Amino acid sequence: MSGNVVHLHKHTDPPAVGTRPALSVVPEQPAAPVVPLWVRSGRAIRTVVTHETTKTAARGAARHGLYVFGGARIVARRTWDGRTAARYERMLRAAEAAGNYEAAAEWEERGQRFREARHRRRMDLLHSPADAAKGVLVGTGMGIGSLVALGIVLAIANKDATDVVTPLMAVVEFIRLLITIVTIVWGPLVSIGPFLALLALWAVGSHQQAAPAWALPVNVRDTAGEPITPSIVVKALRDLGVPALRNAIKEMGDAGASMLGPIRIAGCGVEVDVTLPSGVSTNEVQNRRRKLAENLTRHEHEVFITLPEAARTVRLWIADSGALDEPIGPSPLATDDTLTADYGKGRAPWGQDLRGDAAALSLYQRHLLITGLSNQGKTAALRALALWLALDRRVEFRIADLKGAGDWAMFIGLATILIQGPTDDHVIEATEMLEGGVSEMERRLQAPDGADFPPLILLVDEAQVAFMCPAKDEQKRPYGGSKATSRYFTAARKIHNQGRAVNVLLWQGTQDPTDQNLPKLVREGAHTRASLALGTESQARMALGDKAVDGGAAPNLLRPGLDKGTVVVASDGITIPAGQASITVRTHYIDTDTAGEIAERAKALRDGVTTLHVIERGQERDPLADIHAVLGDAPRVLTADVLKRLSALNSDAYGRWTPGDLKRVLEDAGAEPYKSDGRMVVGRDRVARALTNRGEDGSASAPQ
């Protein structure tokens, strides 16, 4: 009957005589398990130990205890730095790591001066005991003598010989009092002195937060922006999500330290080269830029990955937290009124690279293309280059602003042509401006070898408007598009092909590039290609080319609106670190008012430029009247400049004029050129007088 309980049931009917009550077997119910006391106690202890309050209290106790040790370490280091040249050695190494050898030499000299002064102090200590003993003996003797003299004076005054020793006894009593005070205070001081010392060390450690990160309060343990160390870089790479890289770091005896080059200070951040282990490609790291930045406790835009010359190596530039959100200083064009430009040998002060070094761009014989999304600072960046170059009085500008918002209005009086507006008529005028540049280029190409031509900059802002223009001319040739018959495209290609050799250059600014609004042949014809923030990698490849993007250029990762004015540049006209295909530049912003002031300085360098706002087409020309018009307000203009202005006015009529043609027209009108300072010029008053005096049939015709 084991495992069952026997119950005796009483039936309703009485049992028969001689019978026994019926028995029934009922299964036994399982009893509740009995939990041992030590198990219940263990659970309770675990609950208490793992409770957040307990953790906070434990962290607090550990933190305050570690503050004492941290404070002692800080005080010991300060003491060591104060008595040795360690501080100078540390600053010397930091300067050498940053490549600042002038500062390194200065710190080395300071350290040497410190050692020499310390040596003199130590040599003085060898003689100080004898000097101190002599001083004590002399001082004691003089003091006793003074007290005895004072006592004699008192004895004479009081007529009491015992007053001779009164001053001496007063000093003795004072010394005895000091000894009594020290005897009373010394015991408590000895007792509480160590506690005061510990309190002082705790105060130093608490002020410097000298405790491990896990022990600090949550509001203090903020790792954002913490200094970049080798261990942080290796850990960030290990956790990047590349299995081959993670396994290789685990297998390295030095935990991955051998992958890293020296961490160098580079402007507002640091730079380090990472040699990747076998089996890990550079693009696996490049494609994980955001995760790498987050592992380094940085935002994505604060980490740049480029490829140096060394194989299987990536170069990481890591900004100080928040440094890239700080504005850079003003342009030298705005702060230096004496600044001038040199087209051939100078470089335009465009901004700063990420290392904080000045970024200067050479414009000599280089076609330029700058692109980006709308409202990212494209026009301001392009205008900054033009304003610098305008400070070279030899340079001629012909500008078409196909936005027409007045961004280039300060070039009135500087540019010989300024077209402003977004309509098809403005595109037609811009196209004919480029075709006039082609005519000038062809004229220069036919000149004798060795001729030195002044620079001619054909600048088209918002060039995508021209490429997308649907208008056609009388022969049904489209102005826009990228076909062989497209007039704007054809003129741009001709200038790209041959203009550089005779200093006829095309600068274009476009936005949101596509194959339709920025044809491949045009964008690849630019020697300097720059891009602000873009939307996709394919647009970045259009803007900068495959080589730059494959080498790490990523304008598509710039933040629209937040990285205004930041350009990624691919050009041989700017200093780019060895092994890299591009450089990121934070350009100086020059507002419209400041741009106007700079333009006025450029105008002061010139004799006076008449700016044409509309290119006249299909009209009968009056050469003498046109000559008078292009002279402007200047009393005299060089004949070569008159020819350029006439060509800009109407390339069909004057594009092939020679100095002989100009001389013939002026001589026929009685306003022949003359020499001034050894150079042939055209006098405005002579031309005006000839126009006034000529008869109805005295008009000259354009040479054919």
Side-chain angles (χ1 to χ4, degrees):
M1 300 287 296
S2 175
N4 296 310
V5 179
V6 179
H7 295 275
L8 179 63
H9 292 275
K10 188 175 182 179
H11 295 275
T12 305
D13 296 332
V17 177
T19 62
R20 299 176 61 186
L23 297 177
S24 62
V25 179
V26 179
E28 183 180 0
Q29 296 297 325
V34 178
V35 180
L37 179 60
W38 64 270
V39 174
R40 293 198 301 271
S41 301
R43 290 175 179 173
I45 293 172
R46 185 177 62 181
T47 301
V48 171
V49 170
T50 58
H51 195 274
E52 189 60 34
T53 302
T54 306
K55 291 181 180 179
T56 303
R59 278 200 302 266
R63 177 171 64 252
H64 292 289
L66 291 169
Y67 278 164
V68 176
F69 292 100
R73 179 177 53 82
I74 293 171
V75 170
R77 183 172 181 178
R78 289 175 180 174
T79 304
W80 177 258
D81 286 346
R83 300 185 62 83
T84 67
R87 177 187 292 109
Y88 302 98
E89 294 292 336
R90 191 163 56 249
M91 299 303 294
L92 172 62
R93 288 193 298 270
E96 287 178 342
N100 191 347
Y101 296 107
E102 291 183 3
E106 181 180 352
W107 282 110
E108 184 177 13
E109 183 180 353
R110 289 185 181 182
Q112 187 62 32
R113 289 200 301 267
F114 171 83
R115 294 185 184 94
E116 292 175 356
R118 182 180 61 185
H119 177 71
R120 287 195 300 270
R121 290 194 302 271
R122 289 176 176 175
M123 295 302 295
D124 291 341
L125 288 176
L126 297 177
H127 308 285
S128 59
D131 295 339
K134 292 178 182 178
V136 169
L137 291 175
V138 172
T140 303
M142 293 180 63
I144 293 174
S146 299
L147 292 174
V148 171
L150 180 60
I152 293 172
V153 172
L154 288 175
I156 295 173
N158 297 330
K159 298 180 181 180
D160 186 357
T162 59
D163 286 341
V164 173
V165 297
T166 298
L168 286 174
M169 296 306 298
V171 172
V172 171
E173 287 295 327
F174 178 71
I175 294 174
R176 187 176 65 82
L177 177 62
L178 290 179
I179 294 173
T180 303
I181 294 173
V182 170
T183 303
I184 296 172
V185 175
W186 182 254
L189 282 178
V190 171
S191 301
I192 66 173
F195 296 100
L196 293 176
L198 291 175
L199 182 61
L201 295 176
W202 176 90
V204 173
S206 175
H207 180 71
Q208 298 291 334
Q209 296 293 327
W214 59 265
L216 295 176
V218 176
N219 60 339
V220 176
R221 286 185 286 120
D222 183 10
T223 59
E226 63 182 351
I228 298 300
T229 62
S231 60
I232 289 177
V233 176
V234 171
K235 186 176 183 298
L237 293 169
R238 185 196 65 194
D239 299 338
L240 201 54
V242 181
L245 180 59
R246 182 179 62 250
N247 295 334
I249 292 174
K250 288 181 179 178
E251 294 172 359
M252 291 179 184
D254 57 0
S258 59
M259 296 193 307
L260 306 184
I263 297 179
R264 305 176 294 273
I265 298 174
C268 57
V270 296
E271 187 177 71
V272 59
D273 287 351
V274 181
T275 302
L276 300 176
S278 178
V280 181
S281 63
T282 54
N283 67 331
E284 288 183 285
V285 177
Q286 285 182 300
N287 294 338
R288 291 170 170 81
R289 177 185 175 189
R290 173 176 294 182
K291 189 170 185 179
L292 177 61
E294 292 172 350
N295 290 349
L296 293 167
T297 66
R298 295 295 190 272
H299 296 292
E300 183 178 12
H301 71 277
E302 293 175 330
V303 174
F304 287 81
I305 307 172
T306 54
L307 304 180
E309 290 180 330
R312 212 174 68 241
T313 302
V314 293
R315 177 169 295 161
L316 306 181
W317 185 85
I318 307 160
D320 297 336
S321 186
L324 294 184
D325 297 326
E326 298 293 330
I328 65 173
S331 170
L333 293 173
T335 58
D336 186 358
D337 293 342
T338 64
L339 186 67
T340 58
D342 186 338
Y343 164 75
K345 299 179 181 179
R347 289 176 177 259
W350 209 12
Q352 294 179 359
D353 62 18
L354 296 179
R355 295 166 179 79
D357 299 328
L361 179 67
S362 173
L363 303 173
Y364 177 67
Q365 293 189 343
R366 289 179 176 87
H367 301 300
L368 185 145
L369 172 66
I370 180 170
T371 186
L373 298 177
S374 177
N375 195 31
Q376 298 303 310
K378 167 180 54 63
T379 297
L382 185 60
R383 188 175 65 188
L385 297 176
L387 286 170
W388 175 80
L389 194 57
L391 295 175
D392 185 340
R393 65 187 309 273
R394 301 172 300 163
V395 179
E396 178 189 356
F397 287 94
R398 301 180 187 179
I399 300 175
D401 175 14
L402 298 182
K403 180 166 57 177
D407 293 330
W408 296 90
M410 71 288 301
F411 276 80
I412 297 174
L414 273 178
T416 53
I417 295 176
L418 179 58
I419 300 164
Q420 300 182 91
T423 66
D424 289 349
D425 287 338
H426 293 102
V427 172
I428 293 172
E429 293 173 356
T431 302
E432 295 185 350
M433 181 189 80
L434 255 64
E435 291 173 342
V438 172
S439 299
E440 172 65 15
M441 176 189 71
E442 292 173 345
R443 183 187 71 80
R444 295 182 178 188
L445 289 170
Q446 295 172 2
D449 293 340
D452 183 21
F453 300 104
L456 171 60
I457 306 299
L458 303 166
L459 192 155
V460 182
D461 195 9
E462 306 296 343
Q464 77 280 356
V465 177
F467 286 111
M468 299 301 291
C469 178
K472 297 182 179 180
D473 62 11
E474 294 81 359
Q475 287 78 35
K476 303 300 181 183
R477 293 182 302 167
Y479 286 94
S482 57
K483 297 181 179 179
T485 56
S486 301
R487 292 181 59 179
Y488 182 92
F489 172 78
T490 302
R493 288 295 301 141
K494 287 181 178 179
I495 295 171
H496 277 168
N497 288 339
Q498 296 179 300
R500 171 183 171 275
V502 289
N503 289 332
V504 177
L505 303 177
L506 177 59
W507 292 7
Q508 296 183 99
T510 71
Q511 64 172 265
D512 202 10
T514 65
D515 284 327
Q516 289 71 39
N517 64 24
L518 187 59
K520 184 179 190 317
L521 292 177
V522 171
R523 62 183 185 246
E524 291 187 350
H527 304 97
T528 296
R529 299 167 73 172
S531 175
L532 295 104
L534 288 173
T536 64
E537 182 180 323
S538 62
Q539 287 184 319
R541 293 183 180 275
M542 291 180 192
L544 300 177
D546 291 336
K547 180 180 178 181
V549 174
D550 291 339
N556 52 301
L557 296 180
L558 295 174
R559 301 167 298 168
L562 297 177
D563 290 325
K564 274 188 176 183
T566 299
V567 295
V568 182
V569 186
S571 171
D572 61 351
I574 193 170
T575 302
I576 297 177
Q580 295 181 204
S582 65
I583 188 171
T584 301
V585 177
R586 304 172 69 197
T587 60
H588 295 295
Y589 174 68
I590 303 176
D591 60 49
T592 303
D593 293 339
T594 306
E597 296 172 1
I598 299 169
E600 291 300 321
R601 301 207 312 263
K603 293 173 187 176
L605 300 174
R606 290 164 169 78
D607 294 331
V609 176
T610 301
T611 299
L612 302 177
H613 296 279
V614 177
I615 299 176
E616 300 178 5
R617 306 182 295 273
Q619 299 179 6
E620 188 68 26
R621 308 306 310 175
D622 182 348
L624 191 61
D626 287 343
I627 292 171
H628 183 266
V630 300
L631 289 176
D633 297 329
R636 66 188 67 85
V637 178
L638 295 174
T639 54
D641 290 341
V642 173
L643 286 173
K644 288 193 298 183
R645 297 179 186 183
L646 288 172
S647 177
L649 177 66
N650 191 296
S651 61
D652 294 334
Y654 304 114
R656 297 183 180 276
W657 265 33
T658 65
D661 297 325
L662 177 62
K663 181 180 179 182
R664 182 183 63 78
V665 171
L666 292 173
E667 286 180 344
D668 291 345
E672 61 277 356
Y674 61 95
K675 280 191 176 183
S676 175
D677 295 331
R679 305 182 70 181
M680 296 300 295
V681 298
V682 178
R684 186 178 184 279
D685 291 341
R686 291 189 180 190
V687 176
R689 190 163 50 248
L691 281 172
T692 303
N693 295 335
R694 74 180 182 179
E696 288 291 332
D697 57 347
S699 299
S701 60
Q704 301 298 319

